Amino acid sequence: MKISHNWLKELMPHNFTTEIISETLTDIGLEVEGVNIVESIKGGLKGVIIGQVMTCEKHPNADKLSLTTVNIGGHTNLSIVCGAPNVATGQKVLVATVGTELYDEKGDAFTIKEAKVRGELSQGMICAEDELGLGKSHEGIMILPEDSVVGTKASEYFNIDSDEVFEIGLTPNRADANSHFGTARDLWAALNIHKGYDTSLARPKILSIEGKVASPFKVTIENTESCKRYTGIVLENVRVQDSPDWLKIRLESIGQRPVNNIVDITNYVMFELGQPLHAFDADKIDGQHLKIKNLPQGTEFTALDGSVKSLDKDDLIICDGTDRPLCIAGVYGGLDSGVSQDTTNIFLESAYFSPTPVRKTSFRHNLRTESAAHFEKGTDQHQCLEALLRAALMITEITGANSNSQYIDNFPNPLPLAVAEIHTEKVRSLIGKSIPNREIQLILESLSMIIDKVDENKWKITIPSYKTDVHRQADIIEEIVRIYGLNNIESAKKFSFSMPEQLANDSMTSRQIAMQYLADSGYSEAMGLSIINSTQWSKITKNENFEGVRINNTSNVQLDLMRPEALATALEVVAHNQSRQQNDIRMYEYGRSYNVTDQKEYKEDEYISIFGTGSLWDESWAIKTKDSFDSFYLKTTILNLLKRLNVTKFQEKKLTGDPRFEDAIELTMGPRRIAVLGEVSKSWLKASGIKGNMTFGQVYWEKVIEMINNKPIKFKEFSKFPVVRRDLAVIVGAEVTYESIRLLANKTLSNYLTNMKLFDIYSNEEQLGKGKRSMSIAFYFTNSVKTFEEKEIEDMMKKLIETLESKVDAFIRK
């Protein structure tokens, strides 16, 4: 939320500095996230001075340039080269001195420098109006009246408006402060208590309706649950045109684009008082009758922007006497009833629409307007009329409109003000500070709360209608401590807390271990969005019919699909980095993927993905080869990661039929897949805009958690006796994998076989036979109680060879 300091000063005149106002707002729960300087002309014309041309001669080296000397009130005249055809001696002009920053029509800054132009010194620039942002003309320099005073700052001459705008991070529960008056009201309470500020708030002036005739219009509320109150007034002989400069500047300072005087006034009042309004062309309302109701499902409505909306039966609609939809209540106006340049009479609306229906309708039709944002936070039912008459007064003053009739106020069920009971001893107990009753009373009264004392410590509090989130004692205590100031409450000398039996769950602890290992291994953490572009994903996967978990993302309609696959983020991250000349990448991510099962149920899976591209090492004279990040390197990382988590017993096999990969393997334990890794499909990389190769691995985290052994990893002393290595060259069919041989060997020699390494693969049809290949494998045997005898090793190798010959039809090369 943007709050103008100049606007605040109109509502509560003060001389407090911007720093004090910022600190006070933050202390009372309206956190100031930043303060921006806003000027009616960008740059504020700083460095621009009124000068007088003392001499003007033709430039000796350029036909279209003039040499001038200009007096800007100093001891020495400036020498300035000017290209304007209308420059002449004696003129009062605007001079941008050296160091001045000006802005072009795109808003880009350029600095005036001392320079030589065609060999002649130029110490500034005599400006045209478009160069200063004072107009659009560039036909020549801007010439001021004769009575203009030399040496006057242009910012003073043109009365440049400068404002500090507070950027406030308004929380959803603070609807009462969702306006300049609401913010001023809260600020006044704090300054009154802590700074002795006692000047009354300047409540905005409103239109007097004394002596007016009854309104010719009629209002009927058919849905009193969604519309609690509806007020309106007819204004005649309106002239729709541009707003005065002060109104434009005020709206622009808080980031609002001026439209015309009627729209700008309704916006102004909304940001001043927090109450949205809407203006109808009164002559387009059939029967001079407005109905607030719901229309049948599918009714068509043409919105102000020309789009046609299919209405939902739960949308609250403002209709005319013929039930023709004129406006989606609280959200968006209609084209057929909107104010235009031809409008002469308007019907001005100020109503209370319930937050929930407005929010649902706004999201349903993807119409996120300031009006809807105010209504869905909650507005004050008792402020509708004040806002209506405030806007009506401004319209009569600015447009020359007439107000000849009374307002309409349809308020079928006024809600009574909320009442809550507090105990001041309880207040002190919960706050942790002995605040005297008198001080509690002053704080509550500064917030416009009415106190009825039952006894000294038991009070009944009547809560003002604008405090829509205050209902009970705890809420009132929060209001007290907010204004009293958390910074004024000392820290307790003693803290009490309970110690949980388990500080963290196994999944969290294990995840921290895993991510710390990857970070220590040189991988950087990626944090991708869980929402992706469905069109891009369909392009990558070549599956236009992919559904997945879709969302209606009104903030960014392109991001409409919950991430179905860990690889989606990895592809985005790599493409993003490569586009910024970062090609050597090693990254990991913990995240979740989202899918729909065959039973149409939503499924959410946790994963840790590890991926990379490019070289492993930085370019160096000492490194002769550039090793690439490939499947072998990634496999080592994943195996070490699982080992670090005490997951050691699993099988490895080739993965086929997975469109994500060119070549891949998977790690499994029984039917459970715990990890996959491989080289990403070329077509997927091309569709993602990724150059070169990319290696990707995914650890299925939930499956790993199921397998984690809760017993701690224990140290086992190395054997004092020598390890024995035996190499074996095994000729097998091409379909036989090293993994199957490893499993057979471990099963056969589980007591003493401690390690195996495949160190060579050889293929030659002439020597080995068709469809055959040779694997050279090193077997390592360890005995923890004695040194092996040669015969024991020979017996084990013989047993191993027999197993391989019988199980995989192996032939042992001699």
Side-chain angles (χ1 to χ4, degrees):
M1 178 179 70
K2 290 181 170 62
I3 294 294
S4 158
H5 198 178
N6 288 347
W7 206 334
L8 279 181
K9 288 177 181 178
E10 289 183 6
L11 297 169
M12 50 172 295
H14 67 266
N15 294 316
F16 294 110
T17 64
T18 304
E19 289 72 21
I20 290 176
I21 297 298
S22 294
E23 291 173 4
T24 305
L25 288 172
T26 300
D27 287 345
I28 61 177
L30 303 175
E31 183 181 0
V32 176
E33 297 175 341
V35 180
N36 299 315
I37 304 299
V38 176
E39 294 160 320
S40 55
I41 294 178
K42 194 168 184 179
L45 299 184
K46 295 181 180 67
V48 180
I49 309 293
I50 294 178
Q52 183 172 17
V53 179
M54 306 306 293
T55 64
C56 181
E57 301 174 354
K58 184 178 177 182
H59 193 294
N61 302 318
D63 293 338
K64 295 184 178 181
L65 298 179
S66 301
L67 293 180
T68 69
T69 57
V70 183
N71 174 22
I72 61 169
H75 297 294
T76 306
N77 294 339
L78 299 179
S79 296
I80 298 177
V81 176
C82 181
N86 63 332
V87 64
T89 302
Q91 293 172 337
K92 299 290 182 67
V93 294
L94 292 169
V95 179
T97 57
V98 172
T100 299
E101 275 198 348
L102 299 179
Y103 296 83
D104 61 21
E105 58 183 10
K106 296 180 180 179
D108 297 328
F110 62 94
T111 303
I112 303 300
K113 299 178 181 179
E114 183 176 298
K116 284 196 172 183
V117 180
R118 295 289 182 92
E120 298 294 333
L121 181 65
S122 185
Q123 298 172 302
M125 183 172 79
I126 304 175
C127 301
E129 63 178 40
D130 67 326
E131 292 167 332
L132 298 173
L134 295 169
K136 296 182 179 180
S137 173
H138 194 71
E139 294 178 357
I141 59 172
M142 191 172 182
I143 301 172
L144 301 180
E146 283 291 329
D147 58 358
S148 302
V149 179
V150 171
T152 303
K153 294 179 181 179
S155 58
E156 296 175 2
Y157 182 83
F158 290 102
N159 194 24
I160 301 301
D161 187 81
S162 180
D163 194 3
E164 297 111 357
V165 176
F166 302 100
E167 188 71 46
I168 295 177
L170 190 70
T171 53
N173 64 313
R174 294 304 312 278
D176 62 294
N178 194 20
S179 65
H180 281 76
F181 188 79
T183 300
R185 186 169 49 201
D186 236 30
L187 181 63
W188 183 91
L191 293 175
N192 174 260
I193 296 297
H194 298 296
K195 302 290 184 182
Y197 179 78
D198 57 1
T199 303
S200 300
L201 284 175
R203 199 140 198 135
K205 295 179 181 179
I206 62 175
L207 180 72
S208 172
I209 44 81
E210 291 184 8
K212 307 292 184 182
V213 300
S215 176
F217 275 71
K218 177 183 177 183
V219 171
T220 304
I221 304 177
E222 295 187 14
N223 184 341
T224 55
E225 287 300 313
S226 296
C227 179
K228 305 288 187 183
R229 185 181 190 182
Y230 194 95
T231 67
I233 192 169
V234 178
L235 299 170
E236 300 169 335
N237 300 319
V238 172
R239 293 192 305 274
V240 180
Q241 55 194 15
D242 283 348
S243 296
D245 288 341
W246 72 265
L247 181 53
K248 289 181 182 178
I249 291 170
R250 186 56 56 82
L251 290 175
E252 287 172 343
S253 72
I254 59 172
Q256 298 300 310
R257 180 179 62 86
V259 179
N260 59 50
N261 49 13
I262 301 299
V263 174
D264 293 348
I265 290 168
T266 58
N267 283 336
Y268 181 91
V269 173
M270 176 173 64
F271 289 107
E272 182 179 54
L273 294 176
Q275 172 63 43
L277 303 105
H278 184 70
F280 298 93
D281 188 322
D283 297 328
K284 296 178 181 178
I285 301 175
D286 287 348
Q288 296 186 324
H289 186 186
L290 289 169
K291 300 179 182 179
I292 299 88
K293 60 187 295 184
N294 300 94
L295 293 176
Q297 183 79 27
T299 301
E300 288 192 349
F301 168 74
T302 304
L304 199 59
D305 61 2
S307 63
V308 178
K309 306 291 183 183
S310 178
L311 298 177
D312 188 89
K313 59 181 177 57
D314 293 326
D315 294 335
L316 187 67
I317 306 300
I318 312 297
C319 303
D320 64 11
T322 64
D323 289 344
R324 179 172 61 99
L326 304 177
C327 174
I328 302 177
V331 179
Y332 212 63
L335 183 64
D336 296 336
S337 63
V339 172
S340 67
Q341 295 295 324
D342 300 325
T343 298
T344 56
N345 303 307
I346 67 170
F347 182 88
L348 186 64
E349 158 199 291
S350 176
Y352 177 88
F353 300 120
S354 298
T356 301
V358 169
R359 181 173 176 83
K360 288 182 176 179
T361 295
S362 174
F363 275 94
R364 186 182 295 125
H365 297 292
N366 193 23
L367 294 170
R368 302 298 296 148
T369 60
E370 286 287 354
S371 173
H374 277 72
F375 277 122
E376 66 188 35
K377 284 184 174 70
T379 56
D380 181 4
Q381 297 182 29
H382 296 275
Q383 198 177 38
C384 293
L385 187 57
E386 180 185 17
L388 178 78
L389 297 179
R390 168 61 173 161
L393 175 65
M394 292 182 68
I395 290 173
T396 58
E397 290 179 343
I398 292 174
T399 74
N402 301 323
S403 172
N404 298 316
S405 59
Q406 289 274 355
Y407 60 80
I408 297 170
D409 187 3
N410 195 330
F411 199 0
N413 300 302
L415 290 178
L417 297 179
V419 177
E421 193 175 85
I422 69 168
H423 296 263
T424 55
E425 289 298 331
K426 184 69 171 178
V427 171
R428 286 185 276 271
S429 172
L430 288 178
I431 291 177
K433 176 83 173 182
S434 183
I435 306 175
N437 282 3
R438 177 57 182 164
E439 194 163 355
I440 294 175
Q441 180 178 340
L442 290 174
I443 291 173
L444 293 176
E445 288 175 346
S446 73
L447 292 170
S448 303
M449 296 189 184
I450 300 172
I451 303 171
D452 179 17
K453 295 183 180 179
V454 178
D455 57 39
E456 184 180 355
N457 292 316
K458 182 180 178 181
W459 302 352
K460 282 187 177 179
I461 310 297
T462 302
I463 301 162
S465 59
Y466 63 80
K467 285 288 184 185
T468 56
D469 67 322
V470 179
H471 306 285
R472 52 189 180 148
Q473 178 175 246
D475 298 330
I476 295 174
I477 293 174
E478 183 181 340
E479 292 294 295
I480 294 170
V481 74
R482 191 170 58 79
I483 300 301
Y484 181 79
L486 286 172
N487 294 334
N488 297 322
I489 300 174
E490 299 83 2
S491 299
K493 296 180 180 179
K494 182 175 70 174
F495 294 93
S496 299
F497 60 93
S498 59
M499 181 71 73
E501 294 182 5
Q502 189 174 354
L503 292 176
N505 59 45
D506 291 335
S507 177
M508 179 65 72
T509 304
S510 299
R511 193 174 95 199
Q512 290 173 345
I513 291 171
M515 296 175 74
Q516 187 62 56
Y517 168 76
L518 292 169
D520 292 343
S521 299
Y523 291 84
S524 300
E525 184 177 4
M527 294 183 181
L529 291 176
S530 58
I531 313 172
I532 64 173
N533 186 324
S534 62
T535 303
Q536 175 65 11
W537 184 244
S538 296
K539 176 183 174 183
I540 292 171
T541 59
K542 295 183 173 60
N543 182 3
E544 296 183 358
N545 298 319
F546 182 83
E547 286 299 327
V549 181
R550 303 293 180 119
I551 63 169
N552 180 18
N553 185 0
T554 57
S555 299
N556 188 336
V557 294
Q558 292 183 334
L559 300 178
D560 59 344
L561 176 66
M562 297 297 288
R563 174 176 52 205
E565 162 63 52
L567 183 55
T569 295
L571 292 170
E572 286 186 357
V573 169
V574 171
H576 178 86
N577 280 276
Q578 282 193 349
S579 66
R580 289 156 179 79
Q581 291 79 49
Q582 301 299 316
N583 298 310
D584 299 333
I585 301 166
R586 277 189 289 171
M587 305 193 84
Y588 71 92
E589 180 195 32
Y590 167 80
R592 289 180 172 87
S593 58
Y594 309 87
N595 285 287
V596 181
T597 66
D598 294 337
Q599 290 74 36
K600 302 302 180 182
E601 295 178 347
Y602 293 113
K603 181 184 179 185
E604 182 177 330
D605 297 307
E606 294 179 84
Y607 66 79
I608 290 181
S609 62
I610 311 169
F611 53 93
T613 62
S615 175
L616 290 173
W617 322 113
D618 290 336
E619 189 173 356
S620 170
W621 64 271
I623 300 176
K624 302 303 181 184
T625 60
K626 290 193 73 174
D627 296 330
S628 297
F629 184 90
D630 57 16
S631 296
F632 296 103
Y633 188 89
L634 179 56
K635 178 183 173 183
T636 301
T637 298
I638 292 178
L639 292 179
N640 288 337
L641 172 63
L642 295 174
K643 186 176 181 180
R644 180 71 181 82
L645 296 170
N646 205 19
V647 178
T648 56
K649 295 183 178 180
F650 47 82
Q651 295 81 46
E652 174 187 326
K653 62 181 180 180
K654 187 175 180 64
L655 178 63
T656 58
D658 193 324
R660 297 177 296 176
F661 299 106
E662 295 283 337
D663 186 32
I665 62 171
E666 61 179 341
L667 305 180
T668 63
M669 177 172 279
R672 290 179 295 191
R673 175 190 284 181
I674 59 175
V676 297
L677 64 108
E679 299 296 329
V680 180
S681 165
K682 297 291 186 186
S683 63
W684 284 41
L685 295 179
K686 183 177 180 181
S688 302
I690 296 173
K691 299 176 182 178
N693 298 324
M694 173 180 167
T695 307
F696 172 82
Q698 177 176 342
V699 176
Y700 296 87
W701 187 246
E702 290 164 332
K703 301 300 181 184
V704 169
I705 291 299
E706 292 175 6
M707 297 173 58
I708 288 178
N709 188 345
N710 291 324
K711 295 179 181 179
I713 301 173
K714 295 182 179 180
F715 171 75
K716 184 178 180 181
E717 186 179 1
F718 288 118
S719 174
K720 303 180 216 178
F721 305 99
V723 176
V724 178
R725 167 176 168 164
R726 288 290 184 268
D727 294 346
L728 201 63
V730 184
I731 300 174
V732 292
E735 74 282 356
V736 178
T737 63
Y738 167 70
E739 179 68 11
S740 62
I741 294 175
R742 187 183 69 83
L743 291 173
L744 285 171
N746 279 322
K747 187 175 180 180
T748 304
L749 307 172
S750 58
N751 291 335
Y752 299 108
L753 182 63
T754 53
N755 198 7
M756 291 173 55
K757 291 181 181 178
L758 174 64
F759 61 86
D760 189 32
I761 296 179
Y762 175 71
S763 298
N764 189 313
E765 287 191 3
E766 292 182 2
Q767 296 180 6
L768 303 178
K770 188 174 182 181
K772 298 288 186 179
R773 61 177 176 173
S774 172
M775 294 185 188
S776 297
I777 306 171
F779 297 87
Y780 296 85
F781 300 94
T782 304
N783 192 325
S784 59
V785 296
K786 67 170 188 174
T787 301
F788 279 118
E789 295 180 5
E790 186 64 29
K791 187 175 184 309
E792 290 177 312
I793 299 297
E794 290 178 357
D795 288 345
M796 286 190 288
M797 291 301 296
K798 181 179 178 183
K799 186 177 180 181
L800 174 61
I801 291 169
E802 290 173 352
T803 300
L804 296 176
E805 287 175 341
S806 63
K807 297 295 184 180
V808 295
D809 194 22
F811 176 76
I812 308 304
R813 292 176 63 193
K814 304 299 185 183

